[in-house]
Amino acid sequence: MPEAEVTLMAHNWLLYMAAFAIAFAVALLTTPFARSLAIRFHAVDFPRARGMNKEPVPRMGGLAIVLGFMCSVLLLTPFVEGLRTLPFIGFLVGAVIIVAVGMLDDVYELGPKFKFAVQILVGIIVVVTGTKIDFIMWPMWQYIKPFSSVITVIWIVGLINAVNLIDGLDGLAAGVTSIASICLMVLCIVSGSELAVVLTATLAGSCLGFLPRNFSPAEVYMGDTGSTFLGYVLAVCSCMGVFKSYAILSIVLAVLAMALPICDTLFAMIRRAVNHKPIMMADRGHLHHRLVDAGYSNKQAVIILYGLSAVSAVIAVLIAIQDIRATLIVFFFFIVLLLMLFVYRKRT
């Protein structure tokens, strides 16, 4: 029996489906609560020059994503050994800090330097508690190993900001993260990392549960509460699964799985450096802004970017997988995603 087939059969598929379903249901049901809470605390995004909304929209809805994720993980703790380890505790502590700062930012609009410092602190917590990028099969690993902790912190901080930067159109960050997390889930299934599979399945479920009220026209935004949390979970999950199993291909697969936020962030940094502007200065040069400025509607631009993300994710999976069953699993999840997006698109 092929090794990939043995790996697939060894997984607890019911556990993964439960993780997805619980997160989806909780996020779906708690989104109105998160919206009401945002209004109560005046966490509202008012129309502005570089924004896309023409009416005030509550912006702390990402709390529903967090609640969906946390409820699913806590309910499944007795069934997943990896949820009772020091690395997961470190991940959880970092998540709580990221969410707390995100909520404060949605209400008070904190300064970028403070948020950046907190993100570095969170990355250090993850590393100290035992999660880091591991290139042990790389030919030059003995030279890279002393810098693995620094590389991990940079990766976590980078992805947190990457997802935050693409959160500029209704439903964009939630949809792209859903695609990326499903891709990472499949890669982690093949690598055998059960904890990473549970976390990515949970993240996909919570994002898709939030998406109905976030897709255009959005009733609520996720705000920094949601976008920074999504980037953080994607970063740590890739460290737990992808980077530990695919040797020199790992960086290629991880970048392909999350290509849109990573590439958009890199282009933004280059653009601002060329124009002699601060790296963290906001502008309207992001890909989603360019599509809207080119004449596409909010929905059209988002669907185009979903398509790009899906294509890059499929490429990553096809590179890593040489088994028909796993390929069919990917196809099934993407069909479900497309059907859900079609339903959301028709929502009035």
Side-chain angles (χ1 to χ4, degrees):
M1 185 178 294
E3 182 179 348
E5 185 173 347
V6 174
T7 301
L8 289 173
M9 291 177 62
H11 282 275
N12 188 339
W13 299 101
L14 183 60
L15 178 68
Y16 304 153
M17 289 188 287
F20 179 93
I22 295 170
F24 177 88
V26 174
L28 184 68
L29 294 173
T30 57
T31 300
F33 163 74
R35 183 179 184 277
S36 299
L37 199 65
I39 294 173
R40 176 178 296 182
F41 285 96
H42 306 290
V44 178
D45 190 4
F46 292 95
R48 47 187 167 181
R50 64 177 297 273
M52 305 303 298
N53 55 311
K54 302 185 185 304
E55 300 290 338
V57 180
R59 64 181 179 198
M60 204 164 65
L63 182 60
I65 296 175
V66 177
L67 291 173
F69 185 91
M70 292 299 183
C71 286
S72 179
V73 165
L74 292 175
L75 286 172
L76 294 175
T77 297
F79 309 101
V80 183
E81 185 179 350
L83 296 176
R84 304 188 298 274
T85 60
L86 182 60
F88 176 72
I89 293 173
F91 162 80
L92 205 59
V93 171
V96 170
I97 295 173
I98 281 292
V99 172
V101 172
M103 292 176 68
L104 289 173
D105 188 43
D106 286 335
V107 176
Y108 299 109
E109 297 192 8
L110 304 175
K113 291 183 179 179
F114 173 75
K115 292 188 290 184
F116 188 68
V118 171
Q119 292 164 9
I120 293 175
L121 171 64
V122 164
I124 293 172
I125 291 172
V126 171
V127 169
V128 169
T129 52
T131 301
K132 64 175 67 175
I133 293 175
D134 186 1
F135 296 112
I136 196 167
M137 296 178 68
W138 279 48
M140 304 294 289
W141 171 241
Q142 63 270 28
Y143 303 107
I144 303 174
K145 186 175 181 179
F147 306 100
S148 62
S149 296
V150 175
I151 294 172
T152 303
V153 172
I154 292 173
W155 175 254
I156 292 172
V157 173
L159 266 185
I160 289 174
N161 287 284
V163 176
N164 182 254
L165 288 175
I166 66 165
D167 186 27
L169 293 180
D170 297 355
L172 181 57
V176 168
T177 302
S178 300
I179 295 169
S181 56
I182 290 171
C183 177
L184 286 177
M185 180 186 70
V186 175
L187 295 177
C188 293
I189 285 173
V190 177
S191 73
S193 176
E194 183 183 63
L195 176 59
V197 177
V198 170
L199 295 180
T200 48
T202 303
L203 184 64
S206 57
C207 286
L208 290 174
F210 173 73
L211 195 53
R213 294 182 183 272
N214 182 239
F215 196 75
S216 182
E219 299 176 18
V220 60
Y221 292 156
M222 68 172 63
D224 273 22
T225 303
S227 61
T228 54
F229 176 76
L230 297 184
Y232 171 76
V233 178
L234 286 175
V236 178
C237 287
S238 60
C239 292
M240 290 178 174
V242 179
F243 283 115
K244 292 186 180 299
S245 303
Y246 291 104
I248 203 164
L249 273 179
S250 60
I251 191 69
V252 176
L253 296 177
V255 170
L256 282 172
M258 299 166 281
L260 180 62
I262 291 174
C263 292
D264 189 57
T265 301
L266 290 176
F267 291 150
M269 293 173 65
I270 294 171
R271 180 177 65 250
R272 292 165 189 172
V274 170
N275 294 325
H276 304 290
K277 294 182 178 180
I279 294 296
M280 303 183 75
M281 178 181 176
D283 60 24
R284 278 186 61 88
H286 297 287
L287 183 55
H288 53 273
H289 289 136
R290 292 179 181 273
L291 287 172
V292 172
D293 291 343
Y296 290 98
S297 68
N298 189 308
K299 288 182 179 178
Q300 290 172 333
V302 168
I303 290 172
I304 289 170
L305 295 173
Y306 283 174
L308 292 174
S309 297
V311 169
S312 65
V314 169
I315 292 172
V317 171
L318 292 178
I319 290 174
I321 295 177
Q322 298 179 9
D323 184 273
I324 187 63
R325 293 188 183 182
T327 305
L328 290 175
I329 291 168
V330 179
F331 181 75
F332 171 78
F333 271 108
F334 279 122
I335 291 297
V336 170
L337 177 61
L338 291 174
L339 289 174
M340 294 180 74
L341 292 176
F342 178 79
V343 173
Y344 300 156
R345 188 170 180 266
K346 293 296 184 181
R347 180 175 60 84
T348 57

